Amino acid sequence: MRVRDWQDILEDVASEDADPDGWRAVAGRRNAGVGEDFYLGHPATGVYQLKTYAKNPRDLRGVGTRVARRIDEELDPLLPGHGEEDGGRFAVRQPPEDEDEAERMARRLEETVKVHAEAPTTPEDFFEDVMEAVDSPAWGPMEYEFAGRPDRLDELSDTFEEAEQLLNSELEDLIEEDEVDRGFH
């Protein structure tokens, strides 16, 4: 298992050749200590685990690794499904490469918003169309608890106990190195 910077993991997610709306996520507070736990999964690419904390209001630090190469029948129920009533949404985005791309993206986004403003729409359809307009490489349903831990998060942590221990150790080293006693919220 290769532990890497959390941003490197997100770069991998963004560069995967997977259906962007096939991603699913679970996140919440870490079980012990400052920061958050985050699992991100896609049937074609597997499951990634990230642990992050806010060193200060502008600097998020963390570590992560791939914990599974695919989502099997054991892992599938541990990630939220599309259309779950009480779930939220997440997206990974990349900035435009240059000014021309930014202008094209802005025009697509403007047209998308106009279409949805003039016709009946659902929140899900609007979200998906906006993500496509801004070329988001990954988006989908997310179960998240800001002040706690979803049950699924505990189940995933138990499932990937070895990665959980290793990433906790690596994150604690970062926190100690940064001389941070608590994170920012």
Side-chain angles (χ1 to χ4, degrees), residues 48-87:
Y48 296 89
Q49 181 181 1
L50 301 139
K51 290 187 175 284
T52 61
Y53 81 98
K55 178 180 176 182
N56 60 53
R58 294 181 180 205
D59 190 8
L60 188 64
R61 306 251 340 235
V63 293
T65 190
R66 180 189 281 187
V67 292
R69 294 200 180 281
R70 65 182 185 92
I71 297 175
D72 60 18
E73 61 278 345
E74 181 185 333
L75 294 176
D76 190 55
L78 301 181
L79 295 166
H82 289 276
E84 284 191 16
E85 294 297 319
D86 50 346

Side-chain angles (χ1 to χ4, degrees), residues 48-157:
Y48 296 89
Q49 181 181 1
L50 301 139
K51 290 187 175 284
T52 61
Y53 81 98
K55 178 180 176 182
N56 60 53
R58 294 181 180 205
D59 190 8
L60 188 64
R61 306 251 340 235
V63 293
T65 190
R66 180 189 281 187
V67 292
R69 294 200 180 281
R70 65 182 185 92
I71 297 175
D72 60 18
E73 61 278 345
E74 181 185 333
L75 294 176
D76 190 55
L78 301 181
L79 295 166
H82 289 276
E84 284 191 16
E85 294 297 319
D86 50 346
R89 298 288 175 257
F90 81 96
V92 174
R93 63 180 176 82
Q94 294 176 300
E97 290 183 19
D98 56 32
E99 191 174 316
D100 289 340
E101 184 182 350
E103 289 173 6
R104 283 191 300 275
M105 188 181 292
R107 282 193 295 278
R108 283 193 314 266
L109 182 58
E110 181 180 35
E111 288 301 315
T112 299
V113 172
K114 281 182 185 177
V115 166
H116 282 276
E118 295 170 358
T121 192
T122 66
E124 181 78 19
D125 289 340
F126 180 66
F127 177 80
E128 287 183 15
D129 289 348
V130 166
M131 293 300 99
E132 287 176 7
V134 296
D135 287 331
S136 175
W139 76 83
M142 178 179 201
E143 184 175 352
Y144 177 77
E145 287 186 25
F146 181 72
R149 287 177 63 84
D151 290 339
R152 285 178 170 150
L153 191 56
D154 286 330
E155 292 175 39
L156 283 161
S157 294

